[in-house]
Amino acid sequence: MRRREPERRRRERGRPRLPLRRSLLGRLLIVSVLVASCAVAATAWLAVQTTSGAIRQEQGQDLSSDAKIYNTLLGYAATHPRWEDVEDTARELARTSQRRIVLTTEDRRPLFDSAGASSVAPLPAQASAVVDPLSVDTVLVPDAMTAGSDRIDPRAVGPFLLPANERTELRGITEKQVACLNSVGVAADVVDGPSGRPRIEFVRGDTDRDLEFKCVAQNSGATLTEKKALDELNTLADACLKRQGHKGATLNLDLSWDRGYGQITAAEKQSAEKYPSEKYRAEKKAAAAVERGDDRAIASCVGSARREQLTDHVAAPALLFIDGTGAVSVPGFDLSPSNTARIVGVTALVLALTVGVSVIAGARLVRPLHALTGAAQRMRDGLDSAPVPVGPDNEIGRLAAAFNDMAVHRARLEEQRKVMVSDVAHELRTPLSNIRGWLEAAQDGLADPDPAFVSSLLEEAVQLQHIIDDLQDLGAADAGALRLHPEPVYADELLGQVAAAYQGPAETAGVTLTVAAPKPGPPGPALYADPVRLRQAVSNLVSNAVRHTPSGGRVSLRSYRTGPGHGDEVALEVSDTGAGIPADDIPHVFDRFWRAEKSRNRSTGGSGLGLAIVLKLAEAQGGTASVVSTEGKGSVFTLRLPAAPAPAEAPANATAAEAAAGPDGPDPINMTL
């Protein structure tokens, strides 16, 4: 059994490592990665969806709030020549929007701060917008609110603002026109413009042009206020055109212009558009021949003339700061109930999946561990433990297989321990019983203490001493306390010494004991070992061979260097022509107290410890012990030990120690195993 343990360990070391995908660690890593990936993916998806929606919603709310604030302040600037009374309007905007609003001049002199005059919070480097009704920011104000390409706020009317009497007169005329349209089935209504002039707004777009022309033919012309303002604007525009080298243009109330129509009145022009005449077509054709560059110049001059005309009627440009640091700030957005429910739902789902996968993986992992724990506890309590089921070839499967091997090995060791205790008791009982019997006989006067009596007692005492010495050697070897003094030893010399020591017992038993003659020349193979312990091991083999070889048999000793396949070793071989060992008993020959004869008689002598000591001594010196036997033909026991390094040059009659020591003398080694 002990001889096979190194082979089993070599087989365990030779087994390939489990691939990561089949190992328990690999599977746990895969499960962890899958769970983490799913959790991260779900969390990321949910975060992107909810955060993006919330940000878009918040951005939309902020942009809408900014546009409302800007448009309100822009309307104030368009209808007021100064910012003096803007405080009430701005403070109401700050209250409803819950944001800080600051207005300053273009050189950053404060006009209004919703945080209060005591605020010392610095303003951002860049303003949120410039409030200028003569240059509208089309990003913050929809296109429908602008007056056209000149970017002048339509609420900035300046001198075109109608007094109350003119408004009343125009509204009366417009209401009559709307009543006419309604009477003929055209839905229309009266709407006041920024200047106070009422206009007709058709409810439906598909109207009868003839009926419409009939009702609005008597169109109201410009009032005195409008004519005065329009003449002023026309003068400014003509001056601009003259500076650029263009002819003047006649501006209409809707700020369009006429070129090439001569003295055609507005009524004639409308009639000509409805019923074209040759004169109108000719004049229109002549007007179309005018260079397009004149149109662009007129549009540019009209825009600059309007700004010049309105400058004294609107507030000066002001810088607008929204959400600067101060008492009022933008509140952080809160998740809606639907988004909160989605987050809770996805989190619960991921948690449930994680717990489920972890429970399944943990149960599969813990089940075999529980079986191993139960088996170990039964083994601790001294109960017989059934083999643990071995699962797949992974870490736990291999652990279960190793545990089963350990349990079998432990049971075998326990059985051997019981047998060894019984054998030791028997081996010690026999000589002690003999000694006690002879001494009691002498005490009772039944035996005389003559030389034969003393010799018998001495023989039994020597047998006891041998058993005790053998047990002591085995105990020292098991405990690693066997002291060795290795040195180079010539194998042939050692075999000759052992053969000489056992020549007498061999002749008494009628056995021929021989040593293979060394070859002529230098000494035979040298090995590196403790000569005393090595001689003890070889003596045990020779003594065992002589005892088991019948009279007329032969015991042979020889040494040789092993081949390259066995490494650099020297083999000591003891062969006999005895009865041999049955094949079933060969694995047990080196076990302690094992004997082929189970009757425990001493026909062949020995205590069953000799071969166990041989194996221990060989292993302690880095060697091995083996046996080859054929029942009825004999056995061959072989010790293999490391060879001593060959000396560079040694005399033919030098001893092994002198040859290996070199010029500086021997180098003793004291090994404690």
Side-chain angles (χ1 to χ4, degrees), residues 68 137 165 189 200 208 276 417 575 618 661:
K68 180 179 179 181
D137 188 343
N165 59 338
D189 200 359
I200 300 174
D208 189 336
R417 183 188 66 81
S575 60

Side-chain angles (χ1 to χ4, degrees), residues 657-668:
E658 293 171 348
D664 297 330
D667 184 17

Side-chain angles (χ1 to χ4, degrees), residues 1 295 637:
M1 175 195 64
D295 291 334
F637 287 84

Side-chain angles (χ1 to χ4, degrees), residues 402-582:
F403 182 86
N404 290 336
D405 291 344
M406 180 192 69
V408 173
H409 181 64
R410 177 183 176 277
R412 188 182 301 118
L413 288 179
E414 181 65 18
E415 184 65 26
Q416 290 177 352
R417 183 188 66 81
K418 294 178 181 179
V419 173
M420 185 185 72
V421 171
S422 176
D423 290 341
V424 169
H426 176 79
E427 294 296 334
L428 294 178
R429 184 185 299 111
T430 300
L432 284 175
S433 297
N434 292 336
I435 293 174
R436 179 181 178 182
W438 283 106
L439 291 177
E440 289 178 349
Q443 185 180 23
D444 295 339
L446 300 177
D448 296 329
D450 54 10
F453 175 83
V454 175
S455 177
S456 176
L457 292 179
L458 180 60
E459 181 181 353
E460 296 298 336
V462 169
Q463 182 65 24
L464 275 176
Q465 185 65 44
H466 284 169
I467 295 174
I468 293 172
D469 290 343
D470 290 344
L471 291 174
Q472 184 178 9
D473 289 341
L474 286 174
D478 289 338
L482 189 63
R483 300 182 64 84
L484 300 174
H485 303 278
E487 61 182 52
V489 178
Y490 282 119
D492 291 342
E493 292 181 357
L494 186 139
L495 293 181
Q497 295 171 2
V498 174
Y502 280 87
Q503 194 65 44
E507 291 178 354
T508 302
V511 176
T512 302
L513 178 59
T514 61
V515 180
K519 298 179 180 179
L527 48 86
Y528 198 69
D530 185 323
V532 176
R533 294 297 186 182
L534 181 58
R535 189 178 299 111
Q536 179 184 0
V538 176
S539 298
N540 285 353
L541 293 178
V542 172
S543 174
N544 186 69
V546 170
R547 286 198 306 270
H548 290 83
T549 301
S551 178
R554 177 183 295 275
V555 175
S556 301
L557 285 70
R558 73 183 184 107
S559 65
Y560 57 89
R561 187 179 290 271
T562 59
H566 298 279
D568 192 11
E569 295 178 337
V570 174
L572 304 179
E573 187 177 280
V574 178
S575 60
D576 62 67
T577 59
I581 305 172

Side-chain angles (χ1 to χ4, degrees), residues 183-543:
S183 65
V184 297
V186 178
D189 200 359
V190 180
V191 178
D192 290 331
S195 64
R197 168 176 277 274
R199 60 183 176 85
I200 300 174
E201 184 176 272
F202 295 96
V203 179
R204 295 193 301 269
D206 52 341
T207 61
D208 189 336
R209 301 295 294 177
D210 292 335
L211 294 176
E212 178 185 344
F213 179 76
K214 177 182 178 182
C215 291
V216 300
Q218 299 298 323
N219 191 12
S220 58
T223 66
L224 293 176
T225 302
E226 291 173 336
K227 287 180 180 180
K228 182 179 178 180
L230 188 60
D231 290 342
E232 181 185 355
L233 179 63
N234 215 143
T235 301
L236 295 174
D238 287 345
C240 175
L241 290 171
K242 186 176 180 180
R243 287 193 299 270
Q244 298 182 13
H246 296 282
K247 295 180 179 181
T250 302
L251 297 178
N252 300 316
L253 191 58
D254 60 356
L255 299 183
S256 62
W257 54 87
D258 296 328
R259 290 184 291 106
Y261 288 109
Q263 300 300 319
I264 298 178
T265 64
E268 291 175 338
K269 187 165 54 177
Q270 288 183 354
S271 178
E273 289 178 349
K274 185 67 177 178
Y275 307 102
S277 63
E278 294 295 332
K279 180 182 178 181
Y280 175 71
R281 284 198 296 270
E283 291 178 345
K284 189 173 182 180
K285 183 177 180 181
V290 180
E291 296 180 1
R292 296 184 180 276
D294 292 344
D295 291 334
R296 289 193 295 271
I298 294 174
S300 176
C301 286
V302 170
S304 61
R306 289 191 65 200
R307 291 185 182 86
E308 184 178 355
Q309 185 185 35
L310 295 173
T311 299
D312 295 334
H313 299 275
V314 298
L319 301 181
L320 173 63
F321 297 89
I322 303 176
D323 289 336
T325 55
V328 182
S329 61
V330 180
F333 66 87
D334 295 327
L335 287 175
S336 63
S338 61
N339 285 338
T340 303
R342 291 173 63 188
I343 292 177
V344 172
V346 173
T347 303
L349 178 61
V350 172
L351 181 61
L353 290 176
T354 304
V355 171
V357 172
S358 300
V359 168
I360 294 174
R364 292 176 61 88
L365 174 64
V366 170
R367 189 180 301 115
L369 295 180
H370 283 168
L372 286 170
T373 303
Q377 291 175 345
R378 289 192 296 273
M379 185 180 297
R380 179 200 62 189
D381 297 337
L383 304 176
D384 293 335
S385 177
V388 178
V390 178
D393 187 17
N394 54 29
E395 287 90 343
I396 295 183
R398 292 189 176 185
L399 175 62
F403 182 86
N404 290 336
D405 291 344
M406 180 192 69
V408 173
H409 181 64
R410 177 183 176 277
R412 188 182 301 118
L413 288 179
E414 181 65 18
E415 184 65 26
Q416 290 177 352
R417 183 188 66 81
K418 294 178 181 179
V419 173
M420 185 185 72
V421 171
S422 176
D423 290 341
V424 169
H426 176 79
E427 294 296 334
L428 294 178
R429 184 185 299 111
T430 300
L432 284 175
S433 297
N434 292 336
I435 293 174
R436 179 181 178 182
W438 283 106
L439 291 177
E440 289 178 349
Q443 185 180 23
D444 295 339
L446 300 177
D448 296 329
D450 54 10
F453 175 83
V454 175
S455 177
S456 176
L457 292 179
L458 180 60
E459 181 181 353
E460 296 298 336
V462 169
Q463 182 65 24
L464 275 176
Q465 185 65 44
H466 284 169
I467 295 174
I468 293 172
D469 290 343
D470 290 344
L471 291 174
Q472 184 178 9
D473 289 341
L474 286 174
D478 289 338
L482 189 63
R483 300 182 64 84
L484 300 174
H485 303 278
E487 61 182 52
V489 178
Y490 282 119
D492 291 342
E493 292 181 357
L494 186 139
L495 293 181
Q497 295 171 2
V498 174
Y502 280 87
Q503 194 65 44
E507 291 178 354
T508 302
V511 176
T512 302
L513 178 59
T514 61
V515 180
K519 298 179 180 179
L527 48 86
Y528 198 69
D530 185 323
V532 176
R533 294 297 186 182
L534 181 58
R535 189 178 299 111
Q536 179 184 0
V538 176
S539 298
N540 285 353
L541 293 178
V542 172
S543 174

